[in-house]
Amino acid sequence: LPPDSRVGYAVVGLGHLALEEVLPALSSCEKSKLTALVSGSPEKMKKVAAQYGIKPESCYSYETYDQLKNNQEVDVIYIILPNALHKEYVVRGAKAGKHILCEKPMAVSSKECKEMIAACNAAKVKLMVAYRIQYQPHNRKLRELLQNKTFGAPKLIEASNSQSSANPAHWRHKKTLAGGGALPDIGLYCLNTNRFILGEEPTEVFAYQYSTPGNPLFTEVEELMSWQMRFPSGVIASCATDYNVHESRRYRVLCEKGWLNMDKAYAYKGQKLSTARAEGKMERQEEIGLSETNQFAAEMDHFSDCILKNKRPFTPGEEGLQDHILMEAIYESARTGKPVKL
Ligand code: NDP
């Protein structure tokens, strides 16, 4: 689309994700453009505004945020704040009459998610949760192969998303700002991607949780969560996440007649999809090459397309709510030592 017809975005919170991924991705979008900034750091915002050609009158603080209402160049507000602030800024943004794109995890509880959905419905604005993996070509291809039963029925999934953290002072390690530890931050990718590729909802979960005693990173939030999900088709997914191990972002789906494997599954780029098919007593392995696209640009252009054509986004608020309901069941199971039915 020509720049004049593109959907205008206000980006809220100029942290790592916004500065390193989202703002550069907006420059490569076809249907979306950056039109405003919101930050609590005026000096940083001034530099960013100069870099991306944003007018001083389109730069807002958290106090002047509600004035976005009067900015005709802004159609969408993209919330990229610490998790516990998502609800307030989504509700205020909806009241300002703007469509909302909200980072994952959607909030810090299912109760908050319901309030956010209600606020967007009341204001008649669209709400989308930024589940970028659902817009990523390799993961979409795997979903297609799975749902077409190309390798027979899926039976088991092994998934892990783990990394090493170092800074106990960061908001990710504070319960009040993060809501939880590895599970809502990175384990969420295993949860959400399993639901996405299978196209069904878990009916039962069972979980173990662990934090290394005395490690200051984990005095408030969990280090490790390992859980199983049982799906109506019979598939069992075993998932794990840890904030204190070398990076591992992968999953494998074991099917009747082969398997599908995704390396770097939840990374910003570099996904590698490989498959194995049983052929008599032999197996044939194949790597499925697909061209890389910028996931963040694909995700924002999808939302813009929904706004231009008045369609429901592929990952609406209800998608975030469902993950919070499941995460609450996972924490309950870890706490009680018993499976939790949904
Ligand atoms: P950062 O800590 O790097 O940035 C958060 C920004 O929020 C800060 O820079 C600050 O911006 C603003 N902010 C406002 N109030 C506070 C506060 N009380 N404490 C800290 N920051 C505050 O976080 P990330 O960018 O890594 O994460 C932001 C959100 O994006 C999270 O919800 C996270 O889960 C999600 N995320 C999603 C990813 C994805 O792949 N989809 C990847 C990484 C993160 P300012 O100075 O401008 O006010």
Side-chain angles (χ1 to χ4, degrees), residues 13-18 38-41 44 62 80-83 85-86 103-105 130 132 170-172 177 185 189 268 296:
L14 303 178
H16 281 100
L17 181 66
V38 182
S39 170
S41 321
K44 176 172 58 180
Y62 299 118
I80 321 185
L81 295 167
N83 309 340
L85 302 177
H86 291 181
E103 259 313 323
K104 52 50 65 183
R132 59 183 167 77
H170 194 271
W171 65 262
R172 278 192 169 76
L177 279 171
D185 188 26
Y189 285 91
Y268 294 158
F296 296 95

Side-chain angles (χ1 to χ4, degrees), residues 168 173-177 179-181 211 215-222:
H173 295 276
K174 305 290 171 207
K175 175 97 169 123
T176 49
L177 279 171
S211 296
N215 188 325
L217 289 164
F218 311 117
T219 48
E220 296 191 25
V221 300
E222 81 281 356

Side-chain angles (χ1 to χ4, degrees), residues 192-246:
N192 187 263
T193 306
N194 277 329
R195 295 178 43 238
F196 166 63
I197 59 174
L198 290 173
E200 53 177 341
E201 297 299 333
T203 53
E204 190 173 320
V205 299
F206 180 72
Y208 290 110
Q209 181 177 327
Y210 179 76
S211 296
T212 306
N215 188 325
L217 289 164
F218 311 117
T219 48
E220 296 191 25
V221 300
E222 81 281 356
E223 169 186 335
L224 174 162
M225 187 71 82
S226 164
W227 75 100
Q228 292 199 319
M229 299 191 280
R230 185 202 284 274
F231 288 86
S233 64
V235 171
I236 307 275
S238 299
C239 306
T241 185
D242 195 312
Y243 259 166
N244 196 17
V245 293
H246 183 63

Side-chain angles (χ1 to χ4, degrees), residues 4-17:
D4 281 356
S5 316
R6 290 182 200 167
V7 173
Y9 280 65
V11 166
V12 185
L14 303 178
H16 281 100
L17 181 66

